[in-house]
Amino acid sequence: MINIKSAREIEIMRESCKMAAKTLHFLSKNLKIGMTTEEINEMCHQYTINRGGIPATLGYHGFTKSLCTSLNEVICHGIPSTKDTLRDGDILNLDVTTIWKGFHGDTNATFLIGNVKPEVKKLVDVAYECMMKGISVCRPGAHMGDIGAVIEEMAHGHGLSVVHEYCGHGIGRKFHEEPQVVHVGKKGTGPEMRPGMTFTIEPMINLGKRHCKVLNDGWTVVTKDKSWSAQFEHTILITEDGHEILTQFSPEEWTEADDKI
Ligand code: MF3
Ligand code: CO
Ligand code: CO
């Protein structure tokens, strides 16, 4: 069953999603070559709890950190570590999920560290376009399969591949709920979108082949061929006449207080 959120629940989702978006933006502004992903984890944790939020990944099915940090060939679910240092030319995905008044907001983005090779920058740009293209087809009456169809078409058009095993998801009181949002597929298939649905779109796009494997830590998902991978994620709401991206804020909503941990 796909949950339809009430007007009150949607109001809270707007808040939790804005909190996640602001946290992600704060972290992106504070990235530096030489920093470890554990330092990013500490910033994320403090930023979130200082505002009354809860980092959703902490303790989630045994995950021990307050966000996921996925470098280069890591597709998703990278674990922050004192051993992973940002280097010139890296790409780093930060995936932030915040719980606020019992509701989740989930967003991620891939950032360029220093000077990145042109083909890698193109990968990151296309991954962003894939997410936005997927969002653009969301409206009442559209089908969940429409999202995967446009994402797959865009990625393949650029000679890139789409990860199959990890998906977007319904979100609300639960971190992951129905529906599953597959990033490949066929137009007109899958459940119909209805006003009040909230779900994420979070395509993972690889420079090489689509195949992945999980490392021995039980979490870190990497490409099998070691090619680099990029991802972007927004939480969206289906409205009466289209959609609303919940995990964003306008520049005038960023205040001086938002720049402090
Ligand atoms: N934030 C991820 C998502 O987009 C899920 C991370 S779960 C964790 O769905 F346990 F790996 F943190
Ligand atoms: Co998600
Ligand atoms: Co996420």
Side-chain angles (χ1 to χ4, degrees):
M1 215 222 20
I2 303 175
N3 223 328
I4 299 295
K5 271 77 182 177
S6 69
R8 174 70 192 137
E9 291 173 324
I10 289 167
E11 270 317 306
I12 305 174
M13 284 290 289
R14 284 199 182 94
E15 293 172 6
S16 57
C17 286
K18 195 166 292 180
M19 235 168 131
K22 283 192 167 184
T23 306
L24 180 61
H25 185 64
F26 174 83
L27 297 176
S28 74
K29 286 177 79 174
N30 287 282
L31 293 177
K32 283 176 192 70
I33 291 172
M35 172 180 275
T36 70
T37 53
E38 174 58 24
E39 289 175 66
I40 301 167
N41 175 60
E42 280 153 24
M43 283 196 284
C44 180
H45 188 80
Q46 282 306 322
Y47 198 86
T48 303
I49 64 169
N50 289 349
R51 285 159 179 78
I54 301 169
T57 58
L58 189 58
Y60 184 75
H61 293 283
F63 197 82
T64 56
K65 301 289 175 177
S66 296
L67 85 165
C68 297
T69 53
S70 301
L71 265 171
N72 304 336
E73 73 280 0
V74 179
I75 295 171
C76 63
H77 303 169
I79 308 170
S81 165
T82 54
K83 294 195 182 97
D84 289 326
T85 302
L86 305 190
R87 286 177 299 200
D88 186 37
D90 283 348
I91 55 172
L92 173 69
N93 179 281
L94 301 179
D95 192 340
V96 173
T97 315
T98 309
I99 307 172
W100 169 253
K101 296 184 186 167
F103 284 82
H104 293 72
D106 189 11
T107 183
N108 77 49
T110 300
F111 301 100
L112 309 179
I113 308 300
N115 290 307
V116 169
K117 281 194 212 143
E119 62 160 0
V120 173
K121 182 169 187 312
K122 191 195 127 189
L123 165 74
V124 174
D125 290 343
V126 173
Y128 180 76
E129 291 309 323
C130 282
M131 173 188 67
M132 293 311 287
K133 195 81 196 272
I135 292 173
S136 73
V137 302
C138 293
R139 64 179 68 89
H143 290 262
M144 295 308 293
D146 302 358
I147 298 169
V150 294
I151 289 174
E152 196 172 15
E153 188 188 0
M154 157 123 349
H156 290 174
H158 287 277
L160 302 169
S161 65
V162 183
V163 174
H164 289 198
E165 288 81 355
Y166 299 87
C167 305
H169 48 92
I171 181 165
R173 282 193 188 279
K174 293 217 295 220
F175 194 162
H176 297 101
E177 56 186 47
E178 281 184 66
Q180 216 183 204
V181 183
V182 188
H183 302 115
V184 292
K186 235 183 123 199
K187 191 171 158 43
T189 64
E192 226 180 84
M193 298 179 202
R194 288 176 50 203
M197 287 184 182
T198 49
F199 55 83
T200 74
I201 298 181
E202 49 180 303
M204 285 141 271
I205 309 297
N206 300 348
L207 259 179
K209 297 215 168 73
R210 69 172 181 83
H211 305 95
C212 56
K213 64 174 188 191
V214 181
L215 297 186
N216 286 335
D217 60 26
W219 283 105
T220 313
V221 183
V222 299
T223 56
K224 247 189 187 158
D225 63 9
K226 304 242 173 66
S227 68
W228 286 16
S229 184
Q231 181 184 24
F232 287 84
E233 173 176 32
H234 271 311
T235 298
I236 70 157
L237 162 73
I238 302 300
T239 59
E240 292 299 327
D241 57 359
H243 61 264
E244 184 179 322
I245 299 177
L246 298 179
T247 37
Q248 63 183 11
F249 58 89
S250 51
E252 57 275 18
E253 289 179 272
W254 187 266
T255 68
E256 233 173 85
D258 293 319
D259 271 317
K260 297 194 188 79
I261 291 248

